[in-house]
Amino acid sequence: MNSSSILSIVTFVYGLSALLYIICLIFRKDAPGRAATWTAILGVAGNILGVGLRWVESYQLGYGHAPLSNLYESLVFFAWAIVTIYLFVERRYKNRVIGAFTMPLAFLAMAYASLSPNISDRIQPLIPALKSNWLIAHVITCFLGYAGFAIAFGISLMYVVRERPGGQGPVSSRFPEPATLDDLTHKMVQFGFLFLSIGIITGAVWANSAWGRYWGWDPKETWSLITWFVYATLLHARLMRGWRGRKIAYISILGFMAVLFTYFGVNLLPGLHSYGAQ
Amino acid sequence: MKTEGDAPRASSRFWRLLISIRLTVFLLLSLAATSIIGTLVPQNASPQDYVRAYGEFLYRLFYVLDVFDMYHSWWFQTLLVLLTANIVACSIDRLSSLWETVFVKTPGFRLSAFRKLKDRESFSVQGSADALEARYAAAAARRFTYTRTEKTGEGFCIFAEKGRWTRLGVYIVHFSVVFLLMGGLIGSIFGFDGFVNIPEGETVQAVRLRSGGGEQPLEFAIRCDDFQVSFYETGAPKEYRSSLVILEEGEEVLQKDIIVNDPLRYRGINIFQSSYGKIPGDLKATLEKGISLSFTSRASGMVYRETALVGKPVALPEGGGTFTVKELLPSYRFMGQQDLGETLVGSLASPDGGTTEVKLPIRFSRFDKMRKDARFVIAVDEVVEERYYTGLQVTSDPGVPLVYAGFVLMILGCIVTFFMSHQRLCIDVVGRGRKTMVTVSGAANKNRAGIQATVRQMSRRLNALDRG
Ligand code: HEM
């Protein structure tokens, strides 16, 4: 059994967990909720195992590098970070409803990594530019940040659904209080903002050690900065102008769209290099 | 600054705009929105490419608006300068009053205010209030940086606080942004960004600038002794390595192998491995030192090697006369057809007095076999190898320390702003006959859950202290 097949199984474990969270939300039953949490924990364990094994395999192949060097590996880490952070939130707030909005994101990230024909799960050797500890710090911090924003996005969606003009439906009335959702969005954005900042910074230091310039207005860099500006706007609107609730939820959703574009969309832009290459 | 100018009204309105968070939000969103343009329109490409992609009209429009180098355009830079001004103005405006709040000698506490707080925990103990004072004060002092005990009518109260300085966290973040912009500015004024290709064995003293194409002389020379590239079995590159030597006035002062991600830094100049390529070997130089030729005797099959210099006749073995190298042709068309490339021309003088011109294409060592009735087949023995050149990125950026300081400040400032707060606590001890009521209440400038936890812990700790 190699790491890729373990991670494929993890994809389905996350999918199952997401399904259980949704069932728990719709049918108001505790049993599927508890099962959802345990399934998610199992998925995280499998995820860690898969990544660890992949690391060992890369040494066996003679390449020997941390499994954080291409799109596949970053998506796997992204999924892990979403579920892990979410589980902390669930424990802290003793609420499983949020899982119905965040687990599907982890599942989608893993499913995209495992199933997309454009993404290779082969372990590749590192090209010279990627041989840097700054790269490892860069990928970890960026994706922790993105995971924070992903969860904030899920919670903002809940806010918008719950507080929609038509009034609450039977399902959305089970969501946490609007004030709690707003507060959680803010906390997750703060977490994400800190790590995105560190991610941009470690990326800049890496670029400076590899190419002698810390900032080059390369489209990927620029889009990460755009994302950073959007979330900075959110923080200022909330702290200084007292925006709450729906407006903040909309900015958080917009911010996550910027995250997705930075991550996937940039490759569609004209005249670009692929992930990590320069 | 507020009263500058002869129209104080207008200037104060300007100041109010400059310190408004509306402007901040506007600038942040404008920067985000305009930044997108530069990712949709490739930057700094050639005019021909642009005209082909956008047509004449759009090309002219974009050209006028600096869209092709928009991150250095006047309007984008103006947005950045306004952002800096906004942050600095805000900081000046707020910091002067905040400074007094943060650096007070004796912070003010009002018991009546604490008694109205919602975040509180109470318990009662046996015995008088006075007996508790010293122990409670010690317990509070262990957890807080500042504590003060005051007598009240029915007992005493302890005020405690910590994290007053964390109110400055936001300004650390904002100053970090100023650091970054200043560092960038210094880099763009005093720094340079150049590149140079050095063939193995050669030395350079200047580099070509990336923008503008001018030359940047260096205060020292760089020599490349060796370049090596290695590959994985997959064909992907594994490592690029250049052995560089720094020379000052001809003296070797530093030797280092550089690879990607491990540059050489010397006297504020950074030298990065950036690209590589091959150049044909330098035959002329070889020729000046003497080129090695082989003479294969048709009669005996023996191979003789000789080093030849231009114009100096070489005596052939077995009494075969002399051979003289005459010149090097850059190209040679055999029978007016195929170009055989660099070709050595020599003349062969036989012992009986006749001379024959001999052509020796470097790359075709068996060419001379075609010469009829020859006693010797002549060939250029050592084919001069192609050489590598290393492509180096050479930069100087005196703004980097400032930028890195900004990076550190930004991370620290964000941590302080997001996760730390100014917590104020009051332990209110009121004697009621033989019983004493203890109330712990607290407030913080943010993170309500945090102060609630602190209140709970302190209350539990004091309660336990009393029992133990
Ligand atoms: C891109 C750069 C930024 C700009 C241009 C900017 C600008 C501003 C301005 C003009 C203010 C109003 C200042 C005042 O009235 O005291 C402000 C306040 C604030 N900013 Fe920023 N800021 C930036 C980045 C950040 C970041 C990254 C954070 C997050 C840590 C942050 C957190 C805050 C907070 C918490 C306040 C409220 C300050 C208070 O309560 O007095 N800012 N910002």
Side-chain angles (χ1 to χ4, degrees):
Chain A
M1 189 119 151
N2 66 7
S3 63
S4 295
S5 47
I6 291 184
L7 292 169
S8 308
I9 296 170
V10 169
T11 309
F12 290 101
V13 175
Y14 283 161
L16 178 65
S17 170
L19 196 66
L20 288 168
Y21 275 115
I22 293 169
I23 290 173
C24 161
L25 168 65
I26 294 176
F27 298 102
R28 309 172 176 227
K29 290 279 194 305
D30 267 352
R34 244 173 287 133
T37 304
W38 283 107
T39 315
I41 292 171
L42 190 71
V44 166
N47 203 330
I48 293 172
L49 187 71
V51 171
L53 193 58
R54 198 178 162 87
W55 204 335
V56 173
E57 284 166 6
S58 91
Y59 273 92
Q60 284 163 352
L61 283 171
Y63 302 150
H65 60 80
L68 294 164
S69 70
N70 60 19
L71 190 54
Y72 175 83
E73 291 169 342
S74 66
L75 277 167
V76 168
F77 181 79
F78 184 39
W80 173 83
I82 292 177
V83 181
T84 305
I85 298 171
Y86 163 70
L87 284 173
F88 274 105
V89 172
E90 178 184 305
R91 213 181 130 78
R92 181 87 180 272
Y93 286 78
K94 309 217 172 1
N95 190 312
R96 290 207 172 88
V97 178
I98 299 164
F101 283 79
T102 50
M103 270 321 277
L105 297 175
F107 167 65
L108 287 177
M110 278 301 268
Y112 185 55
S114 301
L115 304 175
S116 166
N118 303 329
I119 298 178
S120 161
D121 66 358
R122 283 241 312 280
I123 299 180
Q124 290 137 339
L126 286 185
I127 60 166
L130 300 186
K131 287 181 182 165
S132 166
N133 288 333
W134 287 109
L135 173 71
I136 298 173
H138 175 60
V139 175
I140 289 178
T141 49
C142 278
F143 283 97
L144 282 177
Y146 290 169
F149 292 144
I151 296 173
F153 165 75
I155 297 168
S156 301
L157 275 187
M158 294 174 79
Y159 190 99
V160 173
V161 170
R162 190 191 152 111
E163 297 296 291
R164 69 181 181 281
Q168 293 167 20
V171 173
S172 57
S173 61
R174 291 199 72 203
F175 292 178
E177 288 299 308
T180 310
L181 291 176
D182 182 63
D183 182 56
L184 251 174
T185 301
H186 182 61
K187 285 212 165 71
M188 285 297 131
V189 168
Q190 283 187 327
F191 176 87
F193 190 84
L194 173 66
F195 279 99
L196 177 62
S197 305
I198 303 178
I200 294 176
I201 287 170
T202 48
V205 174
W206 170 41
N208 195 29
S209 72
W211 302 290
R213 60 167 89 129
Y214 51 85
W215 193 261
W217 294 107
D218 151 280
K220 196 137 195 148
E221 285 171 1
T222 308
W223 269 97
S224 66
L225 188 69
I226 291 168
T227 307
W228 194 77
F229 282 147
V230 172
Y231 284 107
T233 309
L234 184 154
L235 292 174
H236 285 86
R238 194 175 194 281
L239 289 170
M240 298 294 297
R241 296 203 65 79
W243 288 16
R244 287 291 184 282
R246 186 191 301 277
K247 281 183 183 167
I248 292 293
Y250 282 143
I251 307 182
S252 151
I253 291 168
L254 178 72
F256 193 62
M257 297 301 115
V259 168
L260 290 182
F261 197 86
T262 309
Y263 197 1
F264 303 111
V266 163
N267 296 325
L268 309 173
L269 291 170
L272 282 172
H273 47 257
S274 63
Y275 178 86
Q278 168 105 8
Chain B
M1 225 177 168
K2 275 180 197 176
T3 51
E4 252 177 14
D6 19 17
R9 276 263 189 89
S11 94
S12 87
R13 205 189 292 152
F14 175 71
W15 179 254
R16 265 198 316 244
L17 175 70
L18 205 56
I19 61 170
S20 71
I21 194 77
R22 269 214 183 88
L23 181 65
T24 319
V25 168
F26 169 79
L27 289 172
L28 286 174
L29 288 181
S30 305
L31 282 166
T34 53
S35 292
I36 296 175
I37 300 172
T39 67
L40 296 176
V41 178
Q43 299 288 294
N44 296 311
S46 75
Q48 295 91 306
D49 290 346
Y50 286 129
V51 174
R52 206 174 315 125
Y54 301 108
E56 189 78 23
F57 174 74
L58 270 183
Y59 169 73
R60 275 169 198 274
L61 183 69
F62 285 0
Y63 183 81
V64 170
L65 295 175
D66 267 345
V67 171
F68 300 131
D69 191 15
M70 65 151 280
Y71 301 110
H72 304 104
S73 69
W74 61 269
W75 52 269
F76 194 76
Q77 304 266 348
T78 305
L79 286 177
L80 288 176
V81 169
L82 279 177
L83 188 71
T84 319
N86 185 219
I87 301 180
V88 172
C90 263
S91 304
I92 293 172
D93 186 60
R94 292 290 194 94
L95 213 49
S96 50
S97 61
L98 188 71
W99 203 258
E100 283 159 28
T101 321
V102 171
F103 296 102
V104 285
K105 280 250 169 53
T106 42
F109 290 90
R110 286 214 327 278
L111 185 58
S112 57
F114 277 103
R115 282 186 170 161
K116 288 198 204 100
L117 288 178
K118 282 221 187 72
D119 293 323
R120 55 170 59 242
E121 300 254 329
S122 302
F123 59 91
S124 65
V125 292
Q126 300 290 334
S128 77
D130 292 345
L132 302 170
E133 190 177 320
R135 269 184 291 162
Y136 278 18
R142 218 170 298 135
R143 297 275 149 180
F144 288 83
T145 47
Y146 176 88
T147 55
R148 179 167 89 220
T149 310
E150 282 177 14
K151 291 284 174 203
T152 58
E154 314 106 311
F156 66 94
C157 66
I158 301 171
F159 296 116
E161 70 163 13
K162 65 178 170 190
R164 184 171 277 271
W165 63 275
T166 64
R167 288 176 182 269
L168 292 173
V170 180
Y171 300 93
I172 301 178
V173 176
H174 290 164
F175 272 108
S176 77
V177 175
V178 176
F179 270 49
L180 297 183
L181 294 170
M182 296 286 288
L185 191 67
I186 289 177
S188 69
I189 296 174
F190 299 107
F192 67 84
D193 182 1
F195 66 94
V196 64
N197 292 337
I198 315 180
E200 286 173 312
E202 293 190 15
T203 306
V204 297
Q205 185 96 45
V207 301
R208 187 156 294 283
L209 293 176
R210 279 205 191 270
S211 58
E215 280 237 321
Q216 171 74 38
L218 301 175
E219 291 171 353
F220 52 85
I222 312 169
R223 189 177 76 215
C224 171
D225 282 344
D226 186 34
F227 175 83
Q228 276 172 7
V229 54
S230 55
F231 297 92
Y232 297 102
E233 307 92 89
T234 61
K238 184 175 187 178
E239 187 183 80
Y240 308 122
R241 177 180 291 269
S242 303
S243 302
L244 300 184
V245 173
I246 300 291
L247 302 142
E248 293 227 39
E249 291 165 11
E251 297 263 324
E252 294 187 11
V253 289
L254 186 66
Q255 196 283 328
K256 182 178 156 93
D257 282 13
I258 65 165
I259 58 175
V260 181
N261 274 309
D262 185 16
L264 167 61
R265 301 182 196 279
Y266 184 70
R267 290 235 246 152
I269 308 265
N270 311 304
I271 302 166
F272 300 87
Q273 182 67 54
S274 147
S275 64
Y276 75 99
K278 278 183 178 170
I279 48 169
D282 189 354
L283 260 182
K284 281 223 180 68
T286 314
L287 206 54
E288 276 166 24
K289 281 186 250 156
I291 192 160
S292 168
L293 302 175
S294 72
F295 302 88
T296 310
S297 161
R298 282 226 161 112
S300 65
M302 292 280 287
V303 181
Y304 303 91
R305 292 212 152 73
E306 297 286 346
T307 304
L309 288 164
V310 179
K312 289 254 172 72
V314 177
L316 295 185
E318 302 178 7
T322 60
F323 180 76
T324 314
V325 174
K326 281 164 44 184
E327 61 174 335
L328 182 69
L329 299 177
S331 69
Y332 167 55
R333 287 194 183 279
F334 179 53
M335 321 267 287
Q337 298 264 325
Q338 200 192 349
D339 183 3
L340 301 183
E342 285 180 300
T343 300
L344 205 62
V345 185
S347 76
L348 187 65
S350 59
D352 50 26
T355 57
T356 323
E357 192 174 69
V358 180
K359 297 267 183 6
L360 304 172
I362 306 291
R363 267 185 279 142
F364 300 92
S365 58
R366 295 205 301 270
F367 182 83
D368 197 45
K369 282 204 175 135
M370 288 194 299
R371 193 155 49 86
K372 300 239 166 61
D373 310 326
R375 285 181 63 189
F376 290 95
V377 176
I378 310 174
V380 175
D381 194 27
E382 75 189 30
V383 175
V384 183
E385 288 279 328
E386 290 177 311
R387 282 189 303 168
Y388 279 116
Y389 68 83
T390 181
L392 303 178
Q393 168 110 353
V394 181
T395 67
S396 157
D397 191 342
V400 162
L402 213 53
V403 170
Y404 279 22
F407 286 166
V408 173
L409 284 181
M410 172 164 297
I411 295 172
L412 292 179
C414 278
I415 291 173
V416 171
T417 315
F418 293 158
F419 305 114
M420 298 169 89
S421 57
H422 177 197
Q423 294 194 335
R424 291 151 59 84
L425 193 90
C426 171
I427 304 168
D428 186 8
V429 183
V430 179
R432 294 256 160 75
R434 306 185 62 198
K435 263 190 165 180
T436 303
M437 278 297 294
V438 182
T439 306
V440 182
S441 57
N445 61 335
K446 55 188 174 241
N447 188 10
R448 178 117 184 261
I451 188 70
Q452 284 169 341
T454 308
V455 166
R456 220 175 309 124
Q457 279 163 16
M458 182 54 79
S459 157
R460 231 176 272 154
R461 196 163 286 130
L462 295 180
N463 205 347
L465 197 71
D466 198 66
R467 299 233 169 74

